[in-house]
Amino acid sequence: MPTAALPDALDAPRVPWRGLALLTALVALAHLALLGLTPPGSGPRPSPLAQTFITRSIVIAPAPQPEPPAAAPVAQAPPPPRPVRPRPAPRPRPAVAPTPEPATEHAMPTESPPNDLIAQAGIDAGDATTPEPAASASDGSAASGASSSNAGAAAGSDTAGAIPGPATLQVPGSVRLGFAATAQQGAQPLQGVFGELVWLQDGSQYDLKLAWTFLFKTLRSQHSTGRIGPTGIEPLRFSDTRRTEVASHFDRDKGQVVFSSNVPSVMLLAGAQDRLSVVLQLGALLAGDPAHYPTGAVIAVQTVGPRDAEIWTFNVEGEEELAVPAGQFQARKLTRNPRKPFDDKIELWLAPALGWLPVRIRQTQTNGDFIDLQLRNQNALRTANP
């Protein structure tokens, strides 16, 4: 009896399972290594920064929407014009002649003088020619120095001479002038009063004093200090002392005059003088060019007192033969007439033989009181320090 044959599968060689399991494990490990899922002990530890995940939020602002254009205003129709009622014709008025305004005598100028020294020649009664205007600060011409032929005792000083500038001036050298004074105060005349004027200058600065004394007692004194410049004498301070001192200060940087008596400040004009220096300044003008100031000429200059500053106008008059205690002199007279109530009348006699220094000074008040100074001696001073 034939035996049954076994299937071929039983005769095939057996595959070892352990090798297959090992191969499967190796393939799995390879996949895990590639995917980074290997256990911690099986490879290098990853950096902690590699596990940090940072996110940022960016907010985008919406674009500004343009404002809608303003609606154009609706033009309103103008109201209809009202009917014009006819006005009755005005009644004719009788013609009345206008009343003339009273004229103001010697009115003050409304504008400040443009010149350093306003000096214009007057017109004589028989002369119809136009007067020649004096040189002023507004002119661009430079005047040459002119020396006076009659220098006198004051011309002996080294500092006497012409001052360069827009007007020809010749400031006198240092000198002391003594005066005999006669005065009237009320009903009582004053006698035995003496005056002394001391003028010191070194070419750049000056010091000027005038004092009235009685029995070695000073009744009144005036003091002016300043500098010598292109316009001649340029005061910086003026004081007037009777019982107390009252002063005026020339603030040239600010262009004003400041008073110590609580009076409001005023504008300082170019070429301004005080009540004492104006006498020497007028003499310097005439000494620089005597022919420029004939009879009838007018010299106007801002003159500062202890409490005010006004335009003083001096009329140049003719020459006079004058007898004073110091002798006989040919002198040119200048007069300042009052312009308003309580103004004083000032009369000056300037002698060419003394370098146009004053040989007589007379001041008269509106009530009739006066003081009259007449030269009794003069001495040229050599000192150069004011």
Side-chain angles (χ1 to χ4, degrees):
M1 164 176 197
T3 57
L6 294 173
D8 293 339
L10 295 177
D11 294 337
R14 298 179 176 177
V15 179
W17 63 271
R18 292 181 178 179
L20 183 60
L22 180 60
L23 180 61
T24 303
L26 290 176
V27 173
L29 289 175
H31 283 80
L32 291 175
L34 294 176
L35 296 175
L37 300 178
T38 58
S42 62
R45 301 179 63 181
S47 173
L49 297 178
Q51 299 178 359
T52 304
F53 185 73
I54 301 175
T55 61
R56 294 182 181 179
S57 299
I58 301 176
V59 180
I60 301 177
Q65 298 296 331
E67 296 181 0
V74 179
Q76 298 180 359
R82 297 181 180 179
V84 180
R85 298 180 180 179
R87 296 182 180 181
R91 298 179 181 179
R93 297 181 180 180
V96 180
T99 304
E101 298 182 358
T104 303
E105 185 176 3
H106 303 292
M108 292 292 292
T110 57
E111 298 181 356
S112 59
N115 303 332
D116 287 349
L117 287 174
I118 305 174
Q120 56 183 7
I123 302 177
D124 295 337
D127 187 6
T129 59
T130 304
E132 178 185 359
S136 60
S138 60
D139 298 333
S141 59
S144 59
S147 60
S148 175
S149 59
N150 299 322
S157 174
D158 297 336
T159 55
I163 300 297
T168 305
L169 300 100
Q170 184 170 338
V171 177
S174 301
V175 67
R176 176 184 287 109
L177 302 177
F179 294 91
T182 58
Q184 181 78 26
Q185 186 174 5
Q188 182 180 4
L190 299 179
Q191 298 179 352
V193 179
F194 295 93
E196 184 180 61
L197 186 146
V198 179
W199 163 256
L200 300 174
Q201 63 104 347
D202 62 358
S204 60
Q205 298 179 349
Y206 79 89
D207 187 282
L208 178 60
K209 296 180 181 178
L210 176 62
W212 296 266
T213 59
F214 176 74
L215 296 177
F216 305 102
K217 179 181 179 180
T218 301
L219 302 178
R220 183 182 180 184
S221 64
Q222 293 180 341
H223 190 195
S224 175
T225 57
R227 62 195 182 193
I228 306 294
T231 59
I233 301 173
E234 299 177 356
L236 295 176
R237 185 181 187 273
F238 170 73
S239 63
D240 192 343
T241 304
R242 295 185 182 180
R243 296 181 179 179
T244 59
E245 182 186 72
V246 185
S248 304
H249 301 269
F250 294 71
D251 192 340
R252 299 188 178 274
D253 294 335
K254 297 182 179 179
Q256 62 182 2
V257 180
V258 182
F259 303 97
S260 64
S261 56
N262 295 327
V263 177
S265 302
V266 299
M267 182 183 297
L268 175 64
L269 304 183
Q273 301 295 320
D274 57 57
R275 294 188 179 184
L276 185 56
S277 67
V278 68
V279 178
L280 275 294
Q281 178 75 355
L282 291 174
L285 283 172
L286 270 68
D289 190 2
H292 197 73
Y293 305 97
T295 301
V298 176
I299 304 176
V301 58
Q302 184 187 31
T303 305
V304 177
R307 295 181 178 87
D308 57 9
E310 298 179 344
I311 303 297
W312 279 17
T313 303
F314 291 87
N315 298 319
V316 180
E317 302 180 12
E319 293 186 354
E320 296 183 8
E321 187 73 23
L322 197 63
V324 294
Q328 297 282 338
F329 291 93
Q330 195 77 15
R332 177 72 66 86
K333 184 180 179 182
L334 286 80
T335 303
R336 184 252 176 177
N337 292 312
R339 304 180 64 182
K340 60 182 181 180
F342 306 106
D343 274 357
D344 294 342
K345 180 180 180 180
I346 309 295
E347 297 172 279
L348 305 174
W349 286 264
L350 307 180
L354 294 181
W356 297 91
L357 289 170
V359 293
R360 184 181 178 186
I361 303 174
R362 182 183 175 93
Q363 180 176 351
T364 307
Q365 299 179 358
T366 54
N367 60 359
D369 295 348
F370 70 90
I371 183 169
D372 194 344
L373 301 176
Q374 299 185 18
L375 183 68
R376 64 187 183 95
N377 58 60
Q378 55 87 21
N379 296 306
L381 301 178
R382 297 291 179 177
T383 177
N385 296 322

